[in-house]
Amino acid sequence: MSYVLALDEGTTSARAVLYNERGERLAVHAVPIDCAYPKPGWVEQDANAIWRAQSAAIHAVLGQWNLTPRDIAACGIANQRETTVVWDRKTGEPIAPAIVWQCRRTADFCGELAASPYAALIEKKTGLVIDAYFSGSKIRWILENVPQALARARDGEILFGTIDTWLIWKLTGGETHVTDYTNASRTMLMDLATGEWDRDMLGLFNVPPAMLPKIVPSSGRVTVTTGEFAGIPISGIAGDQQAALAGQACFRAGLSKNTYGTGCFALTHAGNRQPHSSHRLLGTRAASFDSKGSDDKATFAVEGSVFVAGAVIQWLRDSLGLITTAADSEPIAASVPDTGGVHFVPAFVGLGAPYWDPSARGVISGLTRSSSRAHIVRAALESIAFQSRELIDAMEADSGEPVVELRVDGGAAVNNFLMQFQADILGKPVVRPADVETTSLGAAYLAGIAEGIWSGTDQVETFWKVDRRFDPRMPADEREERMNAWCKAVSRARS
Ligand code: ADP
């Protein structure tokens, strides 16, 4: 029996998941991780606590099956992206708290960059929209705010890594300092086309090359762990959304997945062609299955996100008290035939692609004396689907290729009303797989293929099983009428 271990280090927990050679999940253990919010808009984590949580999760799953590290044939890592750790090469101690992807502390600097003559160059080279999310401005902040940090970085005394890099460095006792193309493509420091750290970007963010990890393919033997977990081959690395794309078996151009969590993350595989968005979607690297270390088979994806998706359901529950649990939203929405003209645009933190309007704010429109709780709950669920359709429309307009079907996962994808409405408003099938733990599954695929446990993407595609397929039932004219009404509501929310 060959065991494959996936580490899924997310924003709220570090998980370890064990798979057998048929890609079936045998064990899972999650350890929660705290976030600190020291100032408005700031989000930090303790990198040592992340490592301790991940380590505890590994011990727990090995323990459940009475395995030792040497029983593990391959290990893949999927991680929260963009979160930035800077540490001392000698002591291994972080020199500052990890700056989490959500942290807005560098928003002013990014605003200046976006207004500068360099903006077009940055967006063209990196495929990203200039924003505080990405690691570049976070590294710059640490180097400017920790005494001596910049000089020490130039001398190679301190190192940068995203969470994948940090975990692999800890798992190898400081021997291996690497990241993969998918994570590197989120730093705003990598040339998306060449897959190399870009000298111009390093200059703009004032990041010394000596502190950067080596960029390696997402699938391929990187190193073998030492210390308490000695003997595990690390053979897969991908940022969480790219791992989920692989876990949904989206290995070819035109295959798309949407993850319905707090927000939504939609990714469409773009094959070997670098995408150039005219709708302000992000161009990013998809996990490549190239274990030889060359990047001539570089693969790309287009990415768009909805800021508030499942979070609107939380808001109905926690702030309005309209529902008791998130699951209640389904029968309540289904208790009415439509929203009675009510639209809910949950622009609580502005609007993302294709609008990019940070000053937009939420609106509930079309209320009448007969509007009820059920209409508002239904409108909130529909808003998740309308916003996702706008992302898919933008992706199709950018690529000129139709998205054939949408593969779904994430906490809110269990909602059958939402999934049916999503299919209706897209006019495309929505397909929910049996295993919705797609992030860890993708990390396992990357590692297992690299170690020859699976022959390639063709084989792991056969593991992907449908739980339920939702076919569109809404007539096309009604669909477009509804979409027009949604766009009118959005215009009310815009700044
Ligand atoms: P994240 O990874 O972003 O923390 P999850 O994938 O765990 O999110 O999904 C949690 C989100 O899904 C919450 O915002 C919650 O409101 C929403 N959610 C959970 N169950 C349902 C449901 N049955 N219907 C609608 N939304 C749901």
Side-chain angles (χ1 to χ4, degrees):
M1 169 78 87
S2 292
Y3 297 98
V4 180
L5 178 67
L7 311 184
D8 173 7
E9 201 295 311
T11 315
T12 54
S13 70
R15 303 153 73 77
V17 188
L18 190 67
Y19 294 93
N20 66 15
E21 60 219 352
R22 290 186 298 279
E24 294 161 345
R25 191 168 60 237
L26 302 177
V28 53
H29 190 85
V31 178
I33 295 169
D34 288 335
C35 270
Y37 307 94
K39 291 185 188 180
W42 287 37
V43 189
E44 297 180 345
Q45 285 182 327
D46 173 356
N48 281 325
I50 290 176
W51 163 244
R52 282 195 300 272
Q54 190 63 71
S55 162
I58 301 171
H59 277 299
V61 286
L62 293 180
Q64 283 181 39
W65 278 71
N66 255 329
L67 301 177
T68 71
R70 291 190 192 280
D71 296 317
I72 302 297
C75 172
I77 296 175
N79 56 288
Q80 53 167 319
R81 304 175 300 175
E82 297 115 10
T83 297
T84 297
V85 189
V86 176
W87 67 94
D88 184 307
R89 184 198 289 270
K90 259 206 204 105
T91 64
E93 276 306 303
I95 66 164
I99 304 183
V100 176
W101 58 277
Q102 296 148 316
C103 185
R104 306 302 301 167
R105 80 181 65 185
T106 58
D108 288 347
F109 171 73
C110 290
E112 286 164 24
L113 261 191
S116 78
Y118 304 113
L121 176 78
I122 298 173
E123 301 200 352
K124 183 165 171 276
K125 273 205 169 166
T126 65
L128 305 172
V129 171
I130 298 172
D131 192 273
Y133 278 131
F134 306 109
S135 316
S137 67
K138 299 181 194 295
I139 306 173
R140 181 181 181 276
W141 191 94
I142 293 175
L143 295 183
E144 277 195 349
N145 286 276
V146 177
Q148 304 301 319
L150 185 57
R152 296 185 65 216
R154 286 203 184 104
D155 292 342
E157 290 175 21
I158 57 178
L159 301 175
F160 154 74
T162 38
I163 296 297
D164 53 319
T165 310
W166 169 245
L167 292 178
I168 293 170
W169 198 84
K170 295 298 279 183
L171 283 163
T172 58
E175 266 174 32
T176 308
H177 186 222
V178 295
T179 188
D180 83 305
Y181 292 115
T182 68
N183 277 292
S185 72
R186 317 298 297 187
T187 59
M188 211 163 233
L189 302 176
M190 190 186 87
D191 182 323
L192 187 62
T194 64
E196 287 167 8
W197 299 122
D198 183 86
R199 202 184 296 213
D200 291 337
M201 297 306 118
L202 298 184
L204 282 171
F205 289 96
N206 209 7
V207 173
M211 71 187 304
L212 296 173
K214 178 173 177 233
I215 309 176
V216 300
S218 305
S219 179
R221 171 81 69 94
V222 176
T223 189
V224 177
T225 57
T226 59
E228 61 180 319
F229 299 116
I232 304 179
I234 307 274
S235 312
I237 314 173
D240 51 11
Q241 297 306 322
Q242 282 94 338
L245 190 68
Q248 287 276 23
C250 295
F251 300 122
R252 279 170 286 121
L255 289 177
S256 303
K257 71 93 193 171
N258 195 14
T259 299
Y260 297 78
T262 307
C264 281
F265 284 97
L267 270 80
T268 297
H269 202 292
N272 300 114
R273 254 202 350 227
Q274 182 182 347
H276 295 282
S277 178
S278 36
H279 296 81
R280 310 210 74 202
L281 299 169
L282 306 180
T284 198
R285 283 293 185 111
S288 54
F289 287 82
D290 173 8
S291 50
K292 293 186 192 67
S294 79
D295 71 333
D296 56 346
K297 285 195 218 122
T299 51
F300 299 90
V302 189
E303 174 172 330
S305 50
V306 166
F307 296 150
V308 174
V312 72
I313 303 303
Q314 281 168 298
W315 185 78
L316 293 181
R317 184 192 63 197
D318 302 337
S319 298
L320 294 195
L322 282 191
I323 52 178
T324 314
T325 67
D328 290 348
S329 63
E330 182 170 341
I332 294 172
S335 72
V336 284
D338 54 43
T339 64
V342 175
H343 281 98
F344 189 161
V345 184
F348 298 154
V349 289
L351 287 166
Y355 303 103
W356 292 101
D357 183 350
S359 308
R361 286 298 173 263
V363 162
I364 300 177
S365 65
L367 293 170
T368 65
R369 187 63 187 79
S370 58
S371 301
S372 69
R373 170 176 87 132
H375 292 126
I376 292 173
V377 171
R378 186 171 173 124
L381 280 174
E382 288 190 357
S383 77
I384 302 173
F386 281 125
Q387 295 181 91
S388 297
R389 154 123 184 220
E390 289 181 313
L391 291 182
I392 301 296
D393 281 355
M395 286 175 173
E396 288 185 332
D398 269 345
S399 70
E401 303 274 342
V403 165
V404 185
E405 64 176 23
L406 187 64
R407 299 181 175 183
V408 299
D409 51 57
V414 300
N415 189 310
N416 294 322
F417 166 81
L418 171 61
M419 294 300 107
Q420 182 58 51
F421 187 74
Q422 184 71 83
D424 287 343
I425 212 66
L426 277 175
K428 301 177 192 299
V430 163
V431 185
R432 186 170 62 203
D435 188 347
V436 289
E437 297 268 356
T438 54
T439 307
S440 50
L441 195 56
Y445 289 168
L446 289 164
I449 289 174
E451 293 296 335
I453 295 158
W454 300 308
S455 56
T457 52
D458 288 354
Q459 186 182 4
V460 299
E461 256 175 338
T462 66
F463 299 156
W464 188 83
K465 295 276 180 325
V466 175
D467 161 46
R468 188 161 163 190
R469 181 185 161 98
F470 300 85
D471 284 307
R473 295 197 292 238
M474 189 181 279
D477 51 348
E478 183 183 343
R479 179 160 62 237
E480 293 323 306
E481 232 169 73
R482 297 253 198 141
M483 217 41 221
N484 288 338
W486 163 257
C487 290
K488 229 181 254 168
V490 169
S491 66
R492 294 203 168 96
R494 297 204 56 185
S495 61

